[in-house]
Amino acid sequence: MAQEYDIPFKSLKIFNGNTHAHSIFTYSHGNHLQRHQNFVKGDKVLFIDSLYISRPKNSQLKKEWNSFQGLPKKHYEEAVKAGFDFYCVTDHSQEEAFFPNSNNNTAWAIATKNAEDATNTNFSAFMGVEHSENDSDNGRGHFNVIGSSTYINAIKPGVDIPYFYNWLKENPKNLITGNPVAVSFNHPNIDQFNNWDYRDEEITEIITLLEIINNQKLKYEGFLAALDKGWRVSPVAGIDNHNYTEIHKAQSRTFVLAKKNTPKSILTAMRARRTYASFDKNLECRYSVNDSLMGSIIPQKKLYHLKVYVNDPTTDDESDKISKIDIVTRKGKVIKSFELKRPQHKYFWNITIKDKDVDQFLFIRVWDNTKSINTQKPVAFLAPIWVSKQNN
């Protein structure tokens, strides 16, 4: 181990955030409703910011709903208090508040303005949608579309996954700001999205993220399945909260390596797959292969030189020490695993591996020093690096 840490791409800063959250505009379900077996549907029950929202059948709005749920701006306020660098509100695209789907839709305009107002030099706020396809024979699954200036209704007849992918190809940027749009697969099962079908190179460069941590639940098998099917996705973590009271409690984070904390820089990092997901809210990680940063596509070589840097600044907690680091390739095969005899809060691992051991890509898993049998799983998952045989 080097006496001084040779931190890969240390000019890029690490920012933490949440990539999956629901405000009151996701009104069809959530903590703000209570269900009643014999309740008769009422109409236009909520009036907020010049907007009526209807509730679903057999439900009633809780009297104290606004003590834990509200507009996107309330989520952003709580995220700032909790130390988030960025925060994405991703309400369902099919919600009644977003009818008709239009840039001039009142709810969409309010949500977009909330994000603009909350963004400053220390915090980036994003409005997006969760595109939730649950009905199609051409694949089912949920996606987050972050930073777009428009959206489409996920349950409108004919809007199946191929339709959605074509729409993404026509809208890869925000039409107003010119910023890139970031898209993730949400909480995936192993065979979701029609077993990861309809992939081509164009859509692969747009859907660059995958939610490997959802509300503290690990979706590792879905991550491996997507990678093995050829998707080049980088791990993210979403709280998937339908309230704002969970924000300060949440420990999991999406981390991005970006030049600065601006919407453009954060979204650019997401599209470049410079992300990692962690169950620890302040774990600093990064690595490079042959001097290319995590998330990169590199030419095939006989040898690959890895520089892995991990640091947990919570030095008063023994469980936060780094205990093990894995290098993983296709089908979840562990190429190398290094277990620290004496776990440390900060560690640099410099290692060389052979090309014959790498099958198309590799990524890093990090383990902390937690001893509980119920929490013995990696604490962080870092973006893969892909090996291209065409660039020799």
Side-chain angles (χ1 to χ4, degrees):
M1 185 177 69
Q3 291 183 347
E4 294 185 4
Y5 295 103
D6 185 9
I7 303 175
F9 294 86
K10 59 184 177 182
S11 61
L12 293 175
K13 300 177 181 179
I14 298 176
F15 300 103
N16 81 88
N18 178 26
T19 47
H20 192 171
H22 300 276
S23 77
I24 195 61
F25 289 140
T26 292
Y27 193 65
S28 60
H29 66 280
N31 298 353
H32 54 281
L33 295 175
Q34 55 188 356
R35 302 288 180 175
H36 295 280
Q37 185 175 358
N38 299 317
F39 191 83
V40 179
K41 181 185 178 183
D43 195 22
K44 309 298 185 186
V45 296
L46 182 65
F47 182 77
I48 185 169
D49 271 14
S50 305
L51 183 73
Y52 281 109
I53 308 175
S54 295
R55 68 175 171 233
K57 292 180 181 179
N58 301 323
S59 66
Q60 185 174 14
L61 188 69
K62 294 177 181 177
K63 291 181 180 180
E64 74 280 10
W65 70 269
N66 57 359
S67 67
F68 51 82
Q69 183 58 292
L71 287 169
K73 64 181 179 182
K74 182 61 177 176
H75 281 250
Y76 301 138
E77 290 170 0
E78 295 301 314
V80 170
K81 293 178 185 177
F84 286 75
D85 297 315
F86 65 90
Y87 189 95
C88 308
V89 172
T90 52
D91 287 309
H92 295 156
S93 68
Q94 69 267 28
E95 292 291 332
E96 186 168 347
F98 292 144
F99 292 172
N101 54 301
S102 159
N103 292 348
N104 297 323
N105 173 280
T106 301
W108 183 255
I110 291 171
T112 302
K113 186 65 164 57
N114 282 180
E116 292 174 354
D117 291 345
T119 298
N120 55 47
T121 55
N122 297 312
F123 183 77
S124 292
F126 297 96
M127 180 55 196
V129 292
E130 183 172 27
H131 183 93
S132 305
E133 174 53 79
N134 300 317
D135 306 316
S136 173
D137 293 332
N138 291 326
R140 301 181 183 186
H142 297 187
F143 306 81
N144 273 349
V145 183
I146 302 169
S148 176
S149 54
T150 185
Y151 60 98
I152 54 176
N153 186 337
I155 62 173
K156 184 177 179 180
V159 182
D160 55 13
I161 285 182
Y163 185 101
F164 174 63
Y165 286 0
N166 287 331
W167 178 82
L168 287 175
K169 292 174 184 179
E170 295 171 357
N171 296 272
K173 294 184 178 181
N174 185 299
L175 300 177
I176 299 172
T177 65
N179 292 342
V181 172
V183 186
S184 73
F185 293 110
N186 283 357
H187 42 71
N189 294 325
I190 192 169
D191 58 354
Q192 213 154 6
F193 310 99
N194 207 2
N195 199 22
W196 306 97
D197 202 359
Y198 314 117
R199 189 189 72 81
D200 59 37
E201 281 304 305
E202 187 175 0
I203 198 64
T204 302
E205 291 306 312
I206 297 173
I207 306 177
T208 58
L209 308 173
L210 183 144
E211 190 178 65
I212 195 171
I213 299 173
N214 172 273
N215 192 23
Q216 293 298 305
K217 299 181 181 68
L218 184 59
K219 296 292 182 177
Y220 185 63
E221 289 76 14
F223 178 57
L224 292 179
L227 293 175
D228 288 350
K229 287 288 186 176
W231 291 93
R232 293 193 289 271
V233 284
S234 182
V236 295
I239 306 173
D240 199 2
N241 48 312
H242 287 252
N243 55 53
Y244 58 75
T245 55
E246 292 296 316
I247 297 172
H248 78 280
K249 303 175 186 177
Q251 296 297 308
S252 61
R253 291 289 192 276
T254 293
F255 292 89
V256 302
L257 274 66
K259 293 181 179 179
K260 51 188 175 180
N261 191 359
T262 64
K264 182 177 181 179
S265 188
I266 297 293
L267 289 167
T268 298
M270 289 179 174
R271 281 291 290 269
R273 306 175 180 90
R274 296 198 302 266
T275 74
Y276 64 95
S278 176
F279 288 103
D280 188 302
K281 67 180 181 180
N282 65 351
L283 184 65
E284 300 172 359
C285 301
R286 64 181 76 203
Y287 78 98
S288 65
V289 178
N290 292 354
D291 294 325
S292 291
L293 184 61
M294 49 193 273
S296 301
I297 303 172
I298 64 173
Q300 185 180 29
K301 300 291 184 181
K302 292 182 179 180
L303 297 174
Y304 302 108
H305 307 285
L306 281 74
K307 298 176 182 178
V308 185
Y309 174 79
V310 185
N311 176 43
D312 193 313
T314 312
T315 56
D316 59 348
D317 190 338
E318 286 289 314
S319 68
D320 277 354
K321 288 183 174 180
I322 309 308
S323 63
K324 186 170 67 169
I325 302 173
D326 299 329
I327 305 173
V328 188
T329 189
R330 286 189 79 244
K331 301 185 183 300
K333 179 182 177 182
V334 177
I335 301 172
K336 292 285 184 181
S337 184
F338 180 75
E339 190 162 357
L340 282 71
K341 294 180 179 179
R342 294 182 179 180
Q344 302 178 26
H345 285 286
K346 183 185 292 187
Y347 196 74
F348 179 82
W349 190 25
N350 193 342
I351 185 172
T352 298
I353 60 177
K354 296 177 181 180
D355 178 64
K356 68 180 182 64
D357 295 324
V358 179
D359 191 351
Q360 300 181 25
F361 61 83
L362 60 86
F363 65 89
I364 299 294
R365 295 188 313 196
V366 178
W367 301 72
D368 62 12
N369 201 33
T370 303
K371 299 300 183 183
S372 171
I373 191 67
N374 296 322
T375 56
Q376 286 183 349
K377 58 180 178 287
V379 67
F381 304 84
L382 281 57
I385 280 184
W386 289 266
V387 174
S388 173
K389 295 182 180 180
Q390 298 176 355
N391 295 331
N392 289 336

